[in-house]
Amino acid sequence: MKRILFLCTGNSARSQLAEAAMRHMAGDHYEVFSAGMKPEQVDPRVYRVLAEKGINSDNLHSLSAIELQDQHFDTVITLCDKASNECALFPDSDALIHWDFKDPKPLAGDTPFREALAGLQARMSLFLMLNGTEQCSVIGPVELFKIMSDPLRLRILMLIEDEKALSVSDLVEVLGVSQPKVSRHLALLRDGGVLETQREGLWIFYRLSVQLPVWVQHTLATVRNGNPGMINQEKLKLSQIAERKKPTRSLA
């Protein structure tokens, strides 16, 4: 089981909401804690908004980060700028992350606490999706962005992300480059763990690796959807190829 710690100066609002929400969302996958450098009493509004969402708030209490500094945490997340220095107490943590959330305590009513909880839950949903237990480190961010920095490789990736699987001959025709050049880039992407091959009869098709981490899949999808016109001409050529491959119907 992984251990995660939420830090905020007072450990009375944001980090308490985070502790309860993460415990609720992560189930048995994470052991969750929260703490602060100057612990204060938990704000009553924390309990009210958690109850509204059916989130268990039992055993929430303010805790000093000093009491936990000798413990190892897989992930330490600070929730305010003042708490960022507290990461120094946990130098052996595998990941130090900062989520900057506005302090709801100075604001009147429960609404600021509801908004803070909703924002935290959105961040946590993404965190849990991208850091699932099934993820493996087949590729890191430096390697990915090096791969994507080459215009031809990026177009190849965008086409395969869009079409799901393409052959070397498909890519040669739509990209207008030589077969050796396309094959060289495909081999690099395959050896880097981004692509894998699948044989169908005499043809070999390239597709995104099933072992690709979720964060890489989302990065590729974001680039594709954020630049919808990037491969327009290539898509039109693929449509023409598909039309040519359709069997012709003989007239009786």
Side-chain angles (χ1 to χ4, degrees):
M1 181 186 296
K2 294 185 177 181
R3 308 179 85 231
I4 188 167
L5 172 65
F6 292 98
L7 290 175
C8 205
T9 303
N11 191 214
S12 59
R14 287 163 287 187
S15 52
Q16 296 289 349
L17 290 170
E19 178 184 346
M22 179 60 89
R23 191 175 289 129
H24 179 77
M25 296 171 67
D28 296 333
H29 296 296
Y30 279 91
E31 188 177 5
V32 188
F33 301 81
S34 71
M37 285 302 292
K38 299 178 180 178
E40 303 172 2
Q41 185 175 358
V42 180
D43 192 295
R45 290 172 289 181
V46 167
Y47 298 105
R48 290 204 294 268
V49 299
L50 289 173
E52 290 174 0
K53 294 294 185 180
I55 299 174
N56 191 336
S57 60
D58 293 348
N59 301 319
L60 288 183
H61 62 279
S62 293
L63 183 67
S64 171
I66 300 297
E67 297 181 47
L68 300 175
Q69 66 177 331
D70 295 327
Q71 298 187 34
H72 172 78
F73 293 93
D74 297 280
T75 305
V76 175
I77 300 178
T78 56
L79 299 174
C80 61
D81 289 332
K82 291 181 180 179
S84 59
N85 293 331
E86 297 169 16
C87 285
L89 295 174
F90 307 96
D92 67 334
S93 296
D94 298 334
L96 302 173
I97 303 175
H98 180 60
W99 294 350
D100 191 17
F101 278 86
K102 186 177 181 180
D103 188 1
K105 284 183 66 177
L107 305 175
D110 293 353
T111 298
F113 281 75
R114 295 189 187 101
E115 292 174 348
L117 177 60
L120 286 164
Q121 288 179 303
R123 287 284 187 96
M124 290 171 184
S125 293
L126 183 62
F127 176 87
L128 291 170
M129 178 179 68
L130 299 180
N131 293 276
T133 55
E134 77 286 355
Q135 297 303 308
C136 58
S137 301
V138 296
I139 184 172
V142 173
E143 292 78 16
L144 176 64
F145 292 122
K146 281 183 179 178
I147 286 170
M148 294 174 66
S149 67
D150 182 273
L152 179 57
R153 282 199 299 269
L154 181 58
R155 288 161 68 203
I156 290 172
L157 280 174
M158 293 299 95
L159 283 164
I160 293 176
E161 197 279 334
D162 205 80
E163 295 290 328
K164 306 310 176 191
L166 289 171
S167 68
V168 173
S169 61
D170 289 334
L171 289 165
V172 167
E173 186 166 351
V174 301
L175 293 168
V177 295
S178 67
Q179 184 270 330
K181 191 170 186 178
V182 169
S183 294
R184 186 166 64 251
H185 284 291
L186 287 171
L188 185 150
L189 292 167
R190 182 198 59 214
D191 294 344
V194 180
L195 298 181
E196 63 183 20
T197 57
Q198 179 181 3
R199 179 177 288 277
E200 294 184 14
L202 298 176
W203 297 96
I204 294 177
F205 288 86
Y206 287 81
R207 64 182 184 183
L208 294 180
S209 171
V210 295
Q211 298 297 322
L212 209 58
V214 174
W215 72 266
V216 176
Q217 298 175 35
H218 276 259
T219 299
L220 296 175
T222 299
V223 173
R224 174 70 186 110
N225 290 309
N227 299 271
M230 179 186 292
I231 51 173
N232 275 2
Q233 294 305 311
E234 290 85 349
K235 292 283 291 180
L236 291 172
K237 290 178 182 178
L238 281 173
S239 298
Q240 295 168 1
I241 293 172
E243 282 297 319
R244 291 203 308 266
K245 290 181 177 179
K246 284 183 179 179
T248 56
R249 240 189 272 176
S250 59
L251 296 176

